[in-house]
């Protein structure tokens, strides 16, 4: 077919000859195991490489990995050959499959992508113009470290000058530390192994606290909110579903197999449950996902975007008013009582709260126990919570303390019931758009299956109060007593981490210490700040604060890369001198990050030096001064956790093809690690070089080159694995172990090599543990569940000075200053409500890849047909979306009955304006523009800002944890017309 692409023909030769008597590798083919990184789930893969071309020709699932084998992986003791036989012929009389999703399959494009950065790029024009020249790596290294008049625009400080670990950065404000904190850094730390190296350089060696991640604009509010009900501490948490035994589940803002944790695992878990056990479930979501279908005991509950809290409180109101909560479980105030009543967790449902102070009653105040111990009412008297048996759940009466002061107290469950009834069921129904009878039906069903029920979410409800809705999700499981229960809310066994063991990778001798120093994201209490102290010293009312403080945001949630960019734009609390961005794309991925923030990245006065390290030119790093090329997933080591697994595990892999990046003058492939090794050497930073890593058996090991860190990390992980398989010669051939182990053999001892080889022979370590102990999860227990969370109630909002609620509650959407959204955003002008969601087969990075774009080239503006008709809109026609900021975007309307009335649903991960979709010039030559990569709408750009936030550049955050909003946004949709674009300018 001359002049055309032929998409038909004979398939490639299979990589293996498999029969029931054995397995033989085809000549010229290499196979093995690695881990996927086309999204953040990190599933286990098996690959095929054509050795003649050094190209990956196929990927699929690792048969030993739980999340790609429908939760039924092969045991590690099975040889690699036996694993391939199982894939060919089945196992135990059943078909056996190990699959990759469409995102994972598209990842093979990453290695030889035509728009990939392989040489060091230095900007040739102004920032953001996408004009570059290639320069020698050594030149870039010298310029970045030493600075100078690098672009003919005036002097720029290099890393050497910026690293000042002695001089206070902001005199009089000790919380901001020293001047080395003027190096800002962002990264995707989901890659634990490589991210650990990056963090070591930034925090311990260079000495900056300003290292930020994606969590604040991804799943942070869900994690924080769920943790409020999970434990007294404010951290992060999230449950999963016991797919093997659940009878009824509520999925909030998501649908299993469509988004969230490994879609292979959740999709197969759901299909098995509904076919084999007739399990029931509801998906509470503005858009109907594909697996909620007829005749499967499934129900779609269309909800108004951003109103999950109203729905969940309504369900809770029905449960509590009907007395359908698990009273036997809830009445246990301590571990001893729980064990006596056959439980392994307990709650503070019966604990008394002083309604004047909004804090838990203290046993010491009544002379019945130690300070800090709670108080319950049982058998007509007050008891210390730690010593009591089953206690009364509904208490509302006055009590006199040891000081003879009479105060009214309520039990926490009484307070929850009151909050649930603060608004009528009809009112909550109108707010969330779910009929009363549906709410009642869901509540009844949820409480009709004992403890074999679960409510879950996974980054699908990022509205203004997503912390509250996530807390309520946790509390639904508490009311049912289903945490750690067979068929209930389960928690995985986690992953093996490699920072300790044979080699100490966690501690750095001579590391920069900045105890008590905070980042520019201000993820700490306003009351601990110098700003607050100065107001108090002057006798002034300290509220409102002049800045945004985030007391509920831990390092996991508060170190928000998008928030860092607003700090750069506002030059507050101090000016940045340099930004290093590795494998992170907040400009594209963060909802509500405004045009002005991206403009600030281009402003050399606000940000004098910007270094990006990446394999691709992204929307963020197209604004950089230098781009250092980096490895992609098939060229790097991997040893990471997965999302969606129950068993403790890691997925592991090594470079399976030769890195495509250019070489340094001494023959090393340019990448993030080699760049930092060279910077560390030139600046004589601690934690790198000879003797940088303490060895368990004595002495110290060097950390000087790419393979060192990964050899040590893999060895640490392997040393923790209790049942590593014995590796045979056949395993070595079928897992490409001679090639995989070659870089490590001169670094590790023979014993360590043997352990690492065993780890890599199965693509990781998957520890099969006993799942159940009777009616409970074998790994469960010890959870002190919070109906009322005293740690939250003790925190104050930095604007109002009011305490956060200790009980989840419903309020209309409000801004940072407490004013309602509707005060600033006219509902008549913006009558529809936007919901954004994760597409099934696409992530932000995989959207660059051709295979991914062939499957799903664009997103659509989904709307209910009745709603579309009401606004004069027609199916398949172009429309204009306008946000309350006046920003517009155009898309194609898709009318569908599977969308909630008045909702507008648009998927993430489309509409790229970089990565090949832009006009890019390198060494005076323009690259062809790939229109396919820019298909669809970049929906995050339509999320408006909070007009009440301090600072010239702002974002729209949730009210409680200050994570980015992206759902429940007022919007209008109109027929397409020619207009002047009002989105962010793309140069």
């Amino acid at each position: 077919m001359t002049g055309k692409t032929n998409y038909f023909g004979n398939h490639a030769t299979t990589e293996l000859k498999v029969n029931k008597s054995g397995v033989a590798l085809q000549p010229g083919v290499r196979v093995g195991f690695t881990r996927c990184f086309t999204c953040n789930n990190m599933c286990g893969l098996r690959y095929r490489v054509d050795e003649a071309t050094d190209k990956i020709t196929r990927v699929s699932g690792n048969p030993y990995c739980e999340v790609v084998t429908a939760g039924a992986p092969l045991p590690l003791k099975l040889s690699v050959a036996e694993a391939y036989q199982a894939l060919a012929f089945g196992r135990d009389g059943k078909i056996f499959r190990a699959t990759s999703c469409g995102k994972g399959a598209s990842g093979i494009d990453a290695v030889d992508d035509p728009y990939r950065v392989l040489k060091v790029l230095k900007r040739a024009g102004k920032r953001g113009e996408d004009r570059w020249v290639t320069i020698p790596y050594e030149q870039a290294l010298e310029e970045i470290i030493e600075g100078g008049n690098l672009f003919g625009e005036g002097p720029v400080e290099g890393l050497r000058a910026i690293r000042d670990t002695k001089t206070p950065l902001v005199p009089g404000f000790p919380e901001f530390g020293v001047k080395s904190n003027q190096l800002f850094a962002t990264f995707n730390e989901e890659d634990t192994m490589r991210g650990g190296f990056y963090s070591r350089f930034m925090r311990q060696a260079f000495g900056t606290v300003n290292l930020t991640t994606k969590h604040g604009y991804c799943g942070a509010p869900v994690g924080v909110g769920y943790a409020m009900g999970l434990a007294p501490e404010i951290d992060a948490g999230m449950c999963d579903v016991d797919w093997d035994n659940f009878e009824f589940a509520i999925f909030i803002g998501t649908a299993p197999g469509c988004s969230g944790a490994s879609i292979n695992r959740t999709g197969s878990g759901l299909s098995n449950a509904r076919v084999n056990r007739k399990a029931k479930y509801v998906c509470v979501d503005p858009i109907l996902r594909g697996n909620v279908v007829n005749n499967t005991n499934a129900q779609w509950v269309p909800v108004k975007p951003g109103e999950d809290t109203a729905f969940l409180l309504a369900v809770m109101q029905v449960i509590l008013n009907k007395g359908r909560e698990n009273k036997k479980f809830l009445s246990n105030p301590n571990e001893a009582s729980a064990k006596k009543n056959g439980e392994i967790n307990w709650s503070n449902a019966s604990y008394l709260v002083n309604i004047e102070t909004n804090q838990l009653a203290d046993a010491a105040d009544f002379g019945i126990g130690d300070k800090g111990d709670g108080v319950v009412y049982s058998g007509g008297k007050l008891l210390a919570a730690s010593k009591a048996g089953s206690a009364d759940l509904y208490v509302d009466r006055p009590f006199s303390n040891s000081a003879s002061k009479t105060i009214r107290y309520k039990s926490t469950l009484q307070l929850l019931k009151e909050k649930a009834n603060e608004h009528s069921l009809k009112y909550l129904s109108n707010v969330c758009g779910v009929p009363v009878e549906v709410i009642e039906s869901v509540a009844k069903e949820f409480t009709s299956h004992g403890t074999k029920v679960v409510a879950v979410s996974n980054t699908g409800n990022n509205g203004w109060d997503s912390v509250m809705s996530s807390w309520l999700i946790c509390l639904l499981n508490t009311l049912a007593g289903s945490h750690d229960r067979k068929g209930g809310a389960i928690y995985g066994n986690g992953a093996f981490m490699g920072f300790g063991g044979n080699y100490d990778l966690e501690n750095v001798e001579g590391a920069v210490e900045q105890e008590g120093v905070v980042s520019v994201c201000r993820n700490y209490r306003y009351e601990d700040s110098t700003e607050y102290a100065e107001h108090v010293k002057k006798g002034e009312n300290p509220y409102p604060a002049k800045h945004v403080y985030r007391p509920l945001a831990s390092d996991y949630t508060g170190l928000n890369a998008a928030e860092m960019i607003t700090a750069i734009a506002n030059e507050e609390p101090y000016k940045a001198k340099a930004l290093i961005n590795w494998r992170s794309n907040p400009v594209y991925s963060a909802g509500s990050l405004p045009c002005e923030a991206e403009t600030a990245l281009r402003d050399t006065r606000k940000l004098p030096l910007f270094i990006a390290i990446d394999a691709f030119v992204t929307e963020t790093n197209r604004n950089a001064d230098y781009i250092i090329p980096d490895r992609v997933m098939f060229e790097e080591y991997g040893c990471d956790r997965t999302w969606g697994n129950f068993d403790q595990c890691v997925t592991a892999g090594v470079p399976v093809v030769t890195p495509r990046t250019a070489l340094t003058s001494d023959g090393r492939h340019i990448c993030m690690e080699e760049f930092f090794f060279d910077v560390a050497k030139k600046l004589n930073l601690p934690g790198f070089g000879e003797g940088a890593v303490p060895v368990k058996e004595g002495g110290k090991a060097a950390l000087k080159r790419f393979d060192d860190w990964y050899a040590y990390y893999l060895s640490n992980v392997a040393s923790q694995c209790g049942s590593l398989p014995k590796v045979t010669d056949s395993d070595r051939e079928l897992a490409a172990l001679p090639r995989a182990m070659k870089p490590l053999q001169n670094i590790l001892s023979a014993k360590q090599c043997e352990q690492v080889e065993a780890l890599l022979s199965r693509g990781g370590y998957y520890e099969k543990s006993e799942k159940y102990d009777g009616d409970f999860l074998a790994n469960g227990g010890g959870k002190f569940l919070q109906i009322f969370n005293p740690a939250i109630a003790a925190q104050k909002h930095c604007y109002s000075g009011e305490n956060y609620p200790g009980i989840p509650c419903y309020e209309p959407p409000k801004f940072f200053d407490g004013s309602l959204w509707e005060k600033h955003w006219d509902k008549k002008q913006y009558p529809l409500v936007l919901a954004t969601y994760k597409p099934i087969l696409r992530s932000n990075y995989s959207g660059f890849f051709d295979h991914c774009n062939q499957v799903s080239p664009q997103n659509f503006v989904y709307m209910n047909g009745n709603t579309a008709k009401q606004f004069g809109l027609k199916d398949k026609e172009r429309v204009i979306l306008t946000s309350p900021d006046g920003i517009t975007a155009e898309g194609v309307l898709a009318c569908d009955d599977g969308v909630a009335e008045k909702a507008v649903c648009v998927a993430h991960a489309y509409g790229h304006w970089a990565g090949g979709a832009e006009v890019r010039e390198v060494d005076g030559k323009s690259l062809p523009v790939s229109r396919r990569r820019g298909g669809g709408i970049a929906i995050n750009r339509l999320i408006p800002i909070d007009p009440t936030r301090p600072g010239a550049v702002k974002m729209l955050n949730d009210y409680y944890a200050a994570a980015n909003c992206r759902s429940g946004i007022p919007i209008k949709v109109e027929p397409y017309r020619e207009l002047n674009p009002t989105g962010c300018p793309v140069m």
Side-chain angles (χ1 to χ4, degrees):
M1 295 174 62
T2 305
K4 295 182 179 180
T5 302
N6 187 355
Y7 290 102
F8 303 95
N10 296 324
H11 63 76
T13 303
T14 56
E15 59 263 39
L16 299 167
K17 298 176 182 177
V18 183
N19 56 47
K20 292 184 178 180
S21 61
V23 177
L25 190 62
Q26 292 278 15
V29 173
R30 183 169 68 249
V31 297
F33 304 111
T34 188
R35 67 96 168 89
C36 188
F37 196 27
T38 49
C39 75
N40 293 314
N41 285 316
M42 309 290 201
C43 299
L45 294 182
R46 67 183 191 272
Y47 64 84
R48 176 179 67 195
V49 171
D50 182 334
E51 292 191 306
T53 60
D54 196 32
K55 290 182 181 292
I56 302 161
T57 57
R58 181 173 181 262
V59 294
S60 193
N62 179 344
Y64 299 103
C65 178
E66 178 182 352
V67 297
V68 298
T69 55
L74 297 178
L76 294 183
K77 65 182 180 180
L78 225 62
S79 70
V80 179
E82 289 172 315
Y84 276 108
Q85 287 175 314
L87 287 167
F89 302 109
R91 179 168 168 78
D92 300 327
K94 298 179 182 179
I95 294 173
F96 178 76
R97 292 286 183 265
T99 59
S100 169
C101 76
K103 287 178 292 188
S106 72
I108 61 175
D109 293 340
V111 177
D112 294 305
D113 185 273
Y115 295 93
R116 184 178 168 186
V117 178
L118 299 177
K119 298 178 181 180
V120 177
L121 299 180
K122 179 180 179 179
R123 68 175 169 92
K126 295 180 180 179
R127 280 197 195 152
E129 288 183 339
D130 245 329
R131 293 170 54 215
W132 309 90
V133 291
T134 56
I135 63 172
Y137 167 78
E138 289 70 23
Q139 176 188 337
L141 186 67
E142 178 72 13
E143 292 179 2
I144 290 168
I145 292 174
E146 304 302 341
N149 188 5
L150 304 177
F151 301 94
E153 301 167 346
V156 177
E157 288 185 70
L159 295 182
R160 187 184 300 279
I162 294 170
R163 189 180 185 265
D164 178 350
T165 61
K166 303 296 182 184
T167 307
L169 177 51
V170 184
F173 288 78
E175 64 262 44
F176 296 132
V178 294
K179 287 193 171 183
S180 60
N181 289 324
Q182 288 181 290
L183 172 63
F184 291 10
T186 62
F187 75 129
N188 184 347
E189 87 307 341
E190 298 283 6
D191 183 345
T192 307
M193 198 180 192
R194 296 190 75 193
F197 179 92
Y198 188 82
S199 178
R200 178 188 182 94
F201 175 89
M202 293 297 172
R203 289 193 173 118
Q204 295 164 290
F206 193 92
T208 179
V209 297
N210 286 311
L211 178 60
T212 59
T213 74
K214 70 176 182 63
H215 292 306
Y217 52 84
C218 185
V222 176
V224 171
Y226 199 92
M228 289 179 180
L230 196 61
E233 300 82 15
I234 305 172
D235 200 348
M238 206 178 299
C239 75
D240 206 338
V241 180
D242 181 8
W243 299 106
D244 298 331
N245 286 283
F246 86 92
E247 294 181 0
F248 183 74
I250 303 174
F251 298 99
I252 304 291
T254 185
C258 290
S259 64
S262 174
I263 64 175
N264 290 337
R265 178 67 188 100
T266 57
S268 60
L270 181 69
S271 61
N272 289 337
R274 67 190 188 188
V275 170
N276 298 331
R277 299 198 317 279
K278 306 300 181 185
K280 300 179 181 181
Y281 62 100
V282 296
C283 290
V284 184
D285 201 358
I287 188 168
L288 172 63
R289 311 297 180 104
N291 60 1
V292 186
V293 294
N294 291 330
N295 303 318
T296 58
N297 291 321
Q299 181 184 6
W300 173 49
V301 177
V303 67
K304 184 178 178 181
E307 298 295 357
D308 304 293
T309 296
F311 169 78
L312 290 162
L313 264 178
V315 171
M316 202 162 283
Q317 181 185 130
V318 174
I319 291 172
L320 294 174
N321 288 350
K322 298 289 186 180
R324 298 180 70 89
E325 70 276 17
N326 188 337
K327 298 180 181 65
K328 179 183 177 183
F329 168 74
L330 293 168
S331 64
N332 296 307
N334 55 59
E335 186 173 13
S337 175
K339 287 183 177 179
K340 183 178 179 181
N341 289 311
E343 299 286 351
I344 60 174
N345 298 316
W346 59 101
S347 77
N348 69 0
S350 59
Y351 283 42
L352 300 185
V353 176
N354 181 328
I355 64 168
E356 292 183 7
T357 63
N358 197 36
Q359 280 295 310
L360 292 174
D362 195 300
D365 293 339
F366 292 90
I368 57 175
D370 297 332
K371 190 170 182 59
D373 198 351
V375 178
V376 299
Y377 188 65
S378 179
K381 59 182 179 179
L382 296 176
L383 299 171
S386 65
K387 302 292 194 296
S390 297
D392 292 3
L393 291 175
Y394 293 98
V395 180
D396 178 5
R397 54 169 290 177
F399 294 101
S400 296
N401 59 26
S402 55
S404 299
K405 184 176 181 181
T406 301
I407 300 172
R408 191 176 179 188
Y409 290 84
K410 296 182 181 183
S411 62
T412 73
L413 195 62
Q414 175 68 31
L415 288 172
L416 179 63
K417 185 174 182 178
E418 290 177 5
K419 280 295 181 185
N421 282 280
E422 201 165 40
H423 303 283
S424 71
L425 193 59
K426 183 178 180 180
Y427 173 86
L428 294 173
S429 169
N430 288 335
V431 167
C432 68
V434 180
V436 167
E437 57 271 21
V438 174
I439 293 169
E440 292 174 332
S441 173
V442 171
K444 181 179 179 180
E445 194 70 48
F446 187 75
T447 52
S448 296
H449 299 270
T451 57
K452 291 187 176 182
V453 294
V454 59
V456 293
S457 183
N458 193 311
T459 76
N461 53 330
N462 289 50
W464 85 274
D465 68 342
S466 50
V467 163
M468 287 294 143
S469 56
S470 302
W471 190 356
L472 287 166
I473 291 169
C474 184
L475 290 188
L476 273 180
N477 296 321
T478 300
L479 292 184
S482 69
H483 295 279
D484 295 325
R485 275 282 192 169
K486 187 176 185 178
I490 69 170
Y491 302 84
N493 279 296
F496 293 93
M497 298 295 180
F499 296 105
N502 294 327
Y503 301 90
D504 183 357
L505 301 181
E506 187 170 5
N507 300 297
V508 172
E509 185 177 347
V512 179
E513 293 291 339
Q514 297 204 55
E515 187 69 29
V517 177
V518 300
S519 80
V520 293
C521 298
R522 283 195 167 98
N523 54 317
Y524 69 118
R525 293 184 346 132
Y526 170 50
E527 293 76 18
D528 295 332
S529 70
T530 300
E531 178 187 341
Y532 178 88
E534 288 184 341
H535 284 302
V536 173
K537 185 178 179 180
K538 295 175 183 178
E540 301 170 345
N541 179 5
Y543 301 99
K546 294 180 181 178
H547 309 289
V548 181
Y549 292 79
R550 301 165 182 81
L552 303 188
S554 65
D555 282 357
Y556 173 80
T557 58
L559 297 176
N560 182 343
E563 202 65 62
M564 173 180 282
I565 294 176
T566 66
I568 292 172
N570 291 323
E571 299 183 69
E572 194 285 321
Y574 45 81
K575 181 175 180 175
K577 287 191 174 180
L579 169 65
I580 300 180
N581 178 55
W582 173 59
R583 220 181 206 172
S584 178
N585 194 9
V587 166
Y588 175 82
S589 302
S592 186
L593 191 66
C595 309
E596 292 82 2
E598 185 177 2
T599 301
L601 294 180
R602 299 173 183 162
D603 189 339
T604 56
R605 295 167 299 178
K606 290 181 178 291
L607 180 63
L609 182 62
F610 183 0
I611 304 114
I613 308 171
D614 209 319
F616 303 96
V617 177
T618 68
E619 286 75 10
T620 301
N621 63 36
R622 73 191 296 266
N623 303 298
D625 295 318
Y626 300 88
I627 301 181
I628 307 296
D630 193 33
R631 301 185 181 219
V632 296
M633 71 183 209
F634 291 112
E635 301 169 349
E636 64 188 10
Y637 290 94
C639 197
D640 298 290
R641 59 100 189 106
T642 66
W643 286 125
N645 61 289
F646 172 79
D647 293 322
Q648 188 174 10
C649 75
V650 289
T651 55
V654 296
V656 299
V657 295
T658 305
R660 305 306 199 235
T661 59
L663 300 176
T664 65
S665 59
D666 56 358
R668 294 169 292 143
H669 284 280
I670 303 170
C671 62
M672 179 268 288
E673 291 85 352
E674 300 295 8
F675 173 69
F676 285 130
F677 277 130
D678 291 337
V679 173
K681 183 177 181 180
K682 286 183 176 290
L683 295 184
N684 194 29
L685 300 183
F688 294 88
E690 294 290 349
V693 177
V695 180
K696 182 179 179 180
E697 295 177 353
K700 295 182 178 181
L703 186 57
K704 299 170 62 177
R705 57 194 177 95
F706 179 83
D707 297 324
D708 288 341
W709 176 266
Y710 302 105
Y712 304 151
Y713 193 99
L714 288 167
S715 178
N716 284 347
V717 169
S719 69
Q720 302 170 51
C721 302
S723 302
L724 287 168
K726 184 173 179 58
V727 179
T728 66
D729 288 340
S730 173
D731 291 335
R732 292 185 178 94
E733 180 187 29
L734 296 176
L737 294 179
R739 185 182 188 278
M741 291 301 300
K742 187 176 180 180
L744 312 177
Q745 287 170 340
N746 294 328
I747 303 172
L748 304 176
S749 69
K751 180 182 177 182
Q752 291 166 0
C753 280
E754 181 180 335
Q755 292 176 323
V756 171
E757 184 183 48
L759 176 71
L760 299 177
S761 74
R762 305 305 195 259
Y765 186 72
Y766 308 94
E767 184 164 279
K768 191 65 182 173
S769 54
E770 187 63 42
K771 190 169 186 179
Y772 303 109
D773 181 6
D775 289 332
F776 297 96
L777 274 295
N779 70 338
K783 292 180 175 64
F784 179 29
L785 302 161
Q786 306 291 294
I787 305 292
F788 174 93
N789 194 305
I792 310 304
Q795 304 293 343
K796 293 183 177 182
H797 194 276
C798 67
Y799 185 91
S800 66
E802 296 177 355
N803 288 80
Y804 288 115
I807 295 283
C809 59
Y810 171 77
E811 294 180 275
K814 60 185 179 181
F815 292 114
F816 172 73
D817 73 348
S819 62
L820 298 182
W821 283 12
E822 62 185 27
K823 178 181 177 181
H824 299 262
W825 297 338
D826 188 349
K827 284 186 176 181
K828 292 182 179 179
Q829 188 176 0
Y830 302 97
L832 302 173
V833 190
L834 177 67
T836 65
Y837 64 96
K838 292 182 178 180
I840 302 174
L841 297 178
R842 196 178 179 101
S843 64
N844 291 349
Y845 260 88
S846 70
F848 291 147
F849 306 149
D850 285 343
H851 277 90
C852 193
N853 280 300
Q854 288 169 12
V855 173
S856 182
Q858 73 170 84
N859 55 359
F860 295 91
V861 180
Y862 283 104
M863 189 184 296
N864 186 282
N866 292 332
T867 302
K869 185 177 181 180
Q870 180 182 343
F871 288 90
L873 305 172
K874 296 181 180 179
D875 188 28
K876 300 182 180 65
E877 292 191 350
R878 294 163 74 192
V879 293
I880 296 291
L881 294 84
T882 307
S883 81
D885 281 349
I887 296 173
T888 60
E890 66 175 86
V892 177
L893 182 68
C895 294
D896 196 314
D897 290 342
V899 180
E901 294 276 0
K902 300 296 180 69
V904 179
C905 299
V906 185
H908 294 293
Y910 292 87
H912 278 288
W913 64 96
E918 82 283 27
V919 177
R920 187 190 311 171
E921 180 186 291
V922 180
D923 294 333
K925 297 181 179 179
S926 295
L927 276 65
V929 176
S930 173
R931 296 183 182 277
R932 179 180 280 170
R933 297 187 179 209
I937 301 171
I939 195 62
N940 285 326
R941 301 196 120 188
L942 257 67
I943 309 301
I945 63 168
D946 178 345
T948 74
R949 261 189 62 161
V953 178
K954 330 163 192 278
M955 294 189 298
L956 180 65
N957 296 128
D958 85 79
Y959 187 77
Y960 300 99
N964 295 59
C965 285
R966 60 173 187 259
S967 189
I969 309 299
I971 199 166
K972 66 179 175 181
V973 182
E974 302 168 289
Y976 177 79
R977 67 189 187 282
E978 294 291 339
L979 45 70
N980 294 321
T982 56
C984 296
V986 178
M987 300 176 69

